[in-house]
Amino acid sequence: MTMKAINTTHAPAAIGPYSQAVEANGFVYVSGQLPIDPSTGAFAEGGIQAEARQCLTNIKNILAEAGMEMCDVVKVTVLLADIASFSAVNEVYAEFFVEPYPARSAFAVAALPKGANIEIEAIAARS
């Protein structure tokens, strides 16, 4: 198996020893994206919907670097500091995905890196 790291300046740099994404065997595994605006290095402002939009925009930009689009995503995992945000995140999620929607899991977690309210990771497949 050959792994290829995928990195772009249009998404926040990794904050640890990992790649923004890795491609292997026709799949692109996008690391969890916090709601960090890569142009400022700060969390997106405006509440959970703005934060979800930033996470998904980061994923979209990483996939673009790999020559892929959001319609190539087959699985998404959403991590939330507060599960009560689930409905608001769904509204934003629908802006990025169309039917057939990717499979998805959503979890409430005790804490996220940097005190974030949300983190989203994705797996995409080449056609």
Side-chain angles (χ1 to χ4, degrees):
M1 175 183 73
T2 302
M3 284 190 351
K4 174 186 171 191
I6 298 166
N7 293 291
T8 178
T9 58
H10 299 290
I15 58 174
Y18 60 90
S19 300
Q20 288 175 330
V22 171
E23 183 167 0
N25 297 329
F27 288 91
V28 172
Y29 300 87
V30 181
S31 293
Q33 295 298 302
L34 297 175
I36 297 172
D37 180 334
S39 66
T40 66
F43 284 158
E45 295 182 7
I48 193 66
Q49 288 188 318
E51 294 170 9
R53 190 172 289 109
Q54 186 65 60
C55 292
L56 291 164
T57 298
N58 292 341
I59 290 169
K60 181 177 180 180
N61 290 341
I62 292 167
L63 289 174
E65 183 69 21
M68 300 177 86
E69 299 177 349
M70 295 299 271
C71 62
D72 297 314
V73 173
V74 296
K75 174 71 170 77
V76 176
T77 303
V78 179
L79 305 172
L80 297 166
D82 183 353
I83 200 67
S85 302
F86 185 74
S87 294
V89 170
N90 269 343
E91 290 177 26
V92 174
Y93 189 87
E95 296 172 14
F96 287 82
F97 296 104
V98 297
E99 290 187 31
Y101 298 112
R104 183 181 74 182
S105 300
F107 303 95
V109 296
L112 290 165
K114 296 188 163 221
N117 294 314
I118 186 169
E119 181 175 2
I120 304 175
E121 65 180 23
I123 301 170
R126 293 215 181 265
S127 301

